[in-house]
Amino acid sequence: MQTEGLGDRILTGDRRALARAITLVESGRADHRAQATQLLSQLAKSGRQSLRIGLSGTPGVGKSTFIESFGMMLTGQGLRVAVLAVDPSSARSGGSILGDKTRMERLSRDKNAFIRPSPSQSHLGGVARRTREAIALCEAAGFDVVLIETVGVGQSETVVSELSDLFLLLLAPAGGDELQGVKRGIMEMADMILINKADGDLRATATRTCADYAGALRLLRKRPQDPPGYPRAMTVSAVEEQGLEQAWDEMQALTTWRRDNGHWTANRASQARYWFDQEVRHALLARLETPAARNEMDRLSAEVGTGAISPSEAAGRMLAALSER
Amino acid sequence: MQTEGLGDRILTGDRRALARAITLVESGRADHRAQATQLLSQLAKSGRQSLRIGLSGTPGVGKSTFIESFGMMLTGQGLRVAVLAVDPSSARSGGSILGDKTRMERLSRDKNAFIRPSPSQSHLGGVARRTREAIALCEAAGFDVVLIETVGVGQSETVVSELSDLFLLLLAPAGGDELQGVKRGIMEMADMILINKADGDLRATATRTCADYAGALRLLRKRPQDPPGYPRAMTVSAVEEQGLEQAWDEMQALTTWRRDNGHWTANRASQARYWFDQEVRHALLARLETPAARNEMDRLSAEVGTGAISPSEAAGRMLAALSER
């Protein structure tokens, strides 16, 4: 891949250079990895920071419509917005979220917006690193806001919240019983809950759902990174473009408070340490993912299954085989 | 440790030899580990199998009382019963469940019972291996039933269900709402749900709770290892020693069906493969737990926190440091 001068072009905000660099960090080839590492080191010196907003919501809550309306509102204020996705499901299905840019037709044509579909990935560990690097590239390219979208499945919320300055939960209006549907652990990660579809017939239900979640948020343990009264639940209508500016005002108020009180810096430092730890563990376990290692694991696993050797004995042999390489 | 002839004594059912061997497998010393591996290989040849019963239940459901009453009922039928514990909480608290044998006063004096408190451990991975080895020792010592107790916390249910032929969930009578309290994933692991305290004022509530869970079990995806009508929910009273024989009859019926249909063997093979995989992964990650590796991780983590180096760069240096050793 031609990467000469790519860093400089990214720093000027060149979108094609940015797209190319993201392809580079997504590549599994060793030479691409080396180029990516070099590029990221160069760009880290820019010191630019975006506001990273993580957004989680199950299919059907209107995530694409929200991102489009919210994104257009931000670009309307002169801000530059990048949209990335963390998609744990693509590992299995081979599909990707955000894959169809027509879902966000207006935003994808906006010159101040950059939308990148999620690549098909083999594992969440790899997804996290590539997304982290894509965020760094968007920051260096001068985007003011980076929206990181995920479908609420398994561990993807943890990944996105560890990549974000603000983590938003987008929910649909629902009967009171369905409040149970959001796991407590996810609630505890949220910096803001937005009840979408507060329009037409669903407006009243959305208001009730919002009050339920506001109540639930008040019952959670107080977090040091929240000023009094936060985290908040609010209603929005992505379709009617209602409540988006108020939500953005709240996000900015929260961000300003966190910056002033040292939480912004502390959070980014803590996230960096988290990703360092994850990357070391991931690399150690990646030794099992080579074709030779997989073969040996399968062979020993079959022997263990028949009872020919014990799990511990087999593990000892596998570790010996790995250290011989 | 004097281990001469320990294997032969265990095979005769010598309880002191068994206790000593469990201490050996719990030891972190390298020479003890070597002796333990040798001992386990020798004993594996006996081919003896117990019925391994995992039992999970939060504090307050009457687990100790149940184990005592159920254990006494089994020894009363001439069976030999061992009781072990997997305690994820001891890593933090330093305490241990089953620590106080006075909780099971009658059973601990029964010559056909063997009760082993959980050791204080540093991590769940280590707990699992030691428990697995302690089970193997109890099987070699000729115990008919090995009960493996755990407090329902985090991942401990998965560990216990992967160590058991039958996994029981012990619950207390409760209002219908609290049915939500048991996570779906835990329900799906259960081979039988027992509602304890079906006595006195709680009898009617226990019956209702039991019906609720029986209904919930019917809604779960059918598992190949269950005959029609299973898994079942039943009421018991450990205090009044009611329902214990019926529960035991059900366990035996289920076990016989599984043996006849190949599921018993398939399950043990699948568990052995699971533990092989876990042990390899655990050993790879254990390279981060040496004092030198911890120091290096801490040093690099601090640098990552200040932003002096990126998480990826730091990970690269850590892996280089590990491979130098």
Side-chain angles (χ1 to χ4, degrees):
Chain A
M1 198 179 293
Q2 178 61 34
T3 59
E4 189 82 11
L6 199 57
D8 294 335
R9 284 168 54 207
I10 289 170
L11 290 170
T12 67
D14 181 332
R15 289 154 47 122
R16 288 184 57 195
L18 174 61
R20 201 161 185 181
I22 295 180
T23 304
L24 187 70
V25 302
E26 284 169 357
S27 167
R29 275 176 49 182
D31 56 334
H32 287 171
R33 186 96 293 269
Q35 289 174 322
T37 304
Q38 200 183 359
L39 179 65
L40 289 162
S41 294
Q42 180 197 341
L43 294 174
K45 298 189 185 86
S46 81
R48 286 179 182 165
Q49 287 192 333
S50 311
L51 177 61
R52 306 173 184 169
I53 304 177
L55 181 71
S56 176
T58 45
V61 301
K63 222 156 48 257
S64 308
T65 315
F66 174 80
I67 292 172
E68 169 138 291
S69 297
F70 186 67
M72 293 299 290
M73 185 271 293
L74 294 176
T75 59
Q77 298 192 7
L79 296 168
R80 298 182 66 217
V81 179
V83 183
L84 304 172
V86 169
D87 182 6
S89 65
S90 65
R92 267 157 297 170
S93 66
S96 69
I97 52 176
L98 286 174
D100 189 0
K101 283 201 190 179
T102 58
R103 288 197 305 143
M104 301 179 195
E105 212 182 327
R106 286 184 302 148
L107 193 63
S108 64
R109 285 198 312 261
D110 190 320
K111 68 173 176 38
N112 283 320
F114 175 87
I115 300 180
R116 178 75 178 199
S118 71
S120 295
Q121 292 295 348
S122 53
H123 43 66
L124 207 53
V127 171
R129 192 186 67 188
R130 278 152 226 207
T131 308
R132 198 154 45 86
E133 293 177 345
I135 292 169
L137 293 170
C138 293
E139 294 200 315
F143 282 92
D144 301 294
V145 174
V146 180
L147 276 168
I148 309 135
E149 176 192 5
T150 192
V151 177
V153 182
Q155 292 201 281
S156 65
E157 289 99 340
T158 305
V159 170
V160 171
S161 82
E162 288 287 350
L163 288 170
S164 310
D165 301 313
L166 291 178
F167 183 64
L168 312 186
L169 208 52
L170 194 69
L171 301 170
D177 291 356
E178 300 192 30
L179 202 143
Q180 306 282 347
V182 178
K183 290 185 195 131
R184 188 191 174 91
I186 306 297
M187 288 273 286
E188 286 172 342
M189 283 181 210
D191 292 308
M192 184 178 282
I193 290 181
L194 297 177
I195 314 298
N196 192 20
K197 304 190 183 180
D199 44 50
D201 290 348
L202 286 173
R203 198 187 304 268
T205 314
T207 304
R208 270 202 309 278
T209 304
C210 183
D212 287 347
Y213 278 101
L217 284 173
R218 276 193 293 275
L219 295 176
L220 293 179
R221 196 177 53 243
K222 188 90 190 118
R223 309 180 305 176
Q225 69 268 36
D226 295 323
Y230 287 79
R232 295 213 169 143
M234 302 178 72
T235 56
V236 294
S237 164
V239 169
E240 295 188 353
E241 301 181 4
Q242 294 293 313
L244 301 175
E245 292 186 23
Q246 290 89 323
W248 175 235
D249 286 346
E250 290 290 343
M251 290 178 218
Q252 285 180 292
L254 182 54
T255 302
T256 301
W257 188 87
R258 286 188 181 168
R259 279 190 182 277
D260 291 348
N261 289 273
H263 294 294
W264 169 286
T265 310
N267 183 49
R268 288 228 167 169
S270 146
Q271 289 179 342
R273 290 193 301 266
Y274 174 85
W275 290 115
F276 160 59
D277 191 82
Q278 290 289 306
E279 198 156 326
V280 170
R281 286 169 193 279
H282 182 67
L284 287 172
L285 295 177
R287 301 181 63 196
L288 299 176
E289 303 303 330
T290 66
R294 275 175 196 262
N295 279 345
E296 187 66 5
M297 283 292 284
D298 288 348
R299 199 184 64 74
L300 286 165
S301 190
E303 282 197 56
V304 167
T306 65
I309 47 172
S310 74
S312 301
E313 237 179 297
R317 289 195 203 171
M318 185 64 211
L319 292 163
L322 284 174
S323 65
E324 271 169 23
R325 277 167 206 151
Chain B
M1 199 180 293
Q2 178 58 37
T3 59
E4 188 83 11
L6 199 57
D8 294 335
R9 284 167 56 206
I10 289 170
L11 289 170
T12 67
D14 181 332
R15 291 156 45 122
R16 285 183 58 193
L18 174 60
R20 202 161 181 180
I22 294 180
T23 303
L24 187 69
V25 302
E26 285 169 356
S27 167
R29 274 176 48 181
D31 56 332
H32 288 170
R33 182 97 295 265
Q35 289 174 323
T37 304
Q38 198 183 359
L39 179 66
L40 289 162
S41 294
Q42 177 197 343
L43 294 175
K45 299 191 184 83
S46 81
R48 287 177 182 166
Q49 287 191 334
S50 311
L51 177 61
R52 304 172 185 171
I53 304 177
L55 180 72
S56 177
T58 45
V61 301
K63 222 158 47 258
S64 306
T65 316
F66 174 81
I67 293 172
E68 169 139 291
S69 296
F70 187 68
M72 294 298 292
M73 184 270 292
L74 295 175
T75 59
Q77 298 192 8
L79 297 168
R80 296 182 67 218
V81 179
V83 183
L84 304 172
V86 169
D87 181 7
S89 64
S90 64
R92 267 157 298 169
S93 67
S96 69
I97 51 178
L98 284 175
D100 187 2
K101 283 199 190 180
T102 57
R103 288 197 304 144
M104 301 178 193
E105 212 182 330
R106 285 184 302 149
L107 194 61
S108 63
R109 285 196 311 259
D110 190 319
K111 69 174 174 38
N112 282 321
F114 175 86
I115 300 179
R116 179 73 177 199
S118 69
S120 296
Q121 292 295 349
S122 53
H123 44 66
L124 208 52
V127 171
R129 191 185 69 189
R130 279 152 225 206
T131 308
R132 197 154 46 84
E133 293 177 346
I135 292 169
L137 294 170
C138 292
E139 294 200 315
F143 282 92
D144 301 292
V145 174
V146 180
L147 275 169
I148 309 135
E149 174 193 7
T150 193
V151 177
V153 182
Q155 294 199 279
S156 65
E157 289 99 341
T158 306
V159 169
V160 171
S161 82
E162 288 287 350
L163 288 169
S164 310
D165 302 311
L166 291 177
F167 183 65
L168 313 186
L169 206 52
L170 194 68
L171 301 171
D177 291 352
E178 302 193 29
L179 202 142
Q180 304 284 347
V182 178
K183 291 188 196 127
R184 189 188 173 94
I186 306 297
M187 288 274 286
E188 285 171 346
M189 285 180 207
D191 292 309
M192 182 177 283
I193 290 180
L194 297 176
I195 314 296
N196 192 23
K197 304 190 183 180
D199 45 49
D201 291 347
L202 287 173
R203 197 185 307 268
T205 313
T207 304
R208 269 202 309 277
T209 303
C210 182
D212 288 345
Y213 278 101
L217 285 171
R218 276 192 295 273
L219 295 176
L220 291 181
R221 197 177 51 243
K222 187 93 187 117
R223 308 181 305 178
Q225 69 268 35
D226 295 323
Y230 287 80
R232 296 213 167 144
M234 302 179 71
T235 56
V236 294
S237 164
V239 169
E240 294 188 352
E241 299 179 6
Q242 295 293 313
L244 301 175
E245 291 185 24
Q246 291 88 323
W248 176 234
D249 287 346
E250 289 292 342
M251 292 179 218
Q252 285 180 292
L254 181 54
T255 302
T256 302
W257 189 88
R258 286 188 182 168
R259 279 187 182 279
D260 291 348
N261 289 274
H263 295 293
W264 169 286
T265 309
N267 183 48
R268 287 228 169 172
S270 146
Q271 289 179 341
R273 291 194 300 267
Y274 173 85
W275 289 115
F276 160 59
D277 190 83
Q278 290 288 307
E279 197 155 326
V280 171
R281 286 166 193 279
H282 181 67
L284 286 173
L285 294 177
R287 299 180 63 197
L288 299 176
E289 304 300 331
T290 65
R294 275 175 196 260
N295 279 344
E296 188 66 4
M297 284 290 284
D298 288 348
R299 198 184 64 74
L300 286 165
S301 189
E303 283 197 56
V304 166
T306 65
I309 49 172
S310 74
S312 301
E313 237 179 296
R317 289 195 202 169
M318 186 64 212
L319 294 163
L322 284 174
S323 66
E324 271 169 23
R325 275 166 207 151

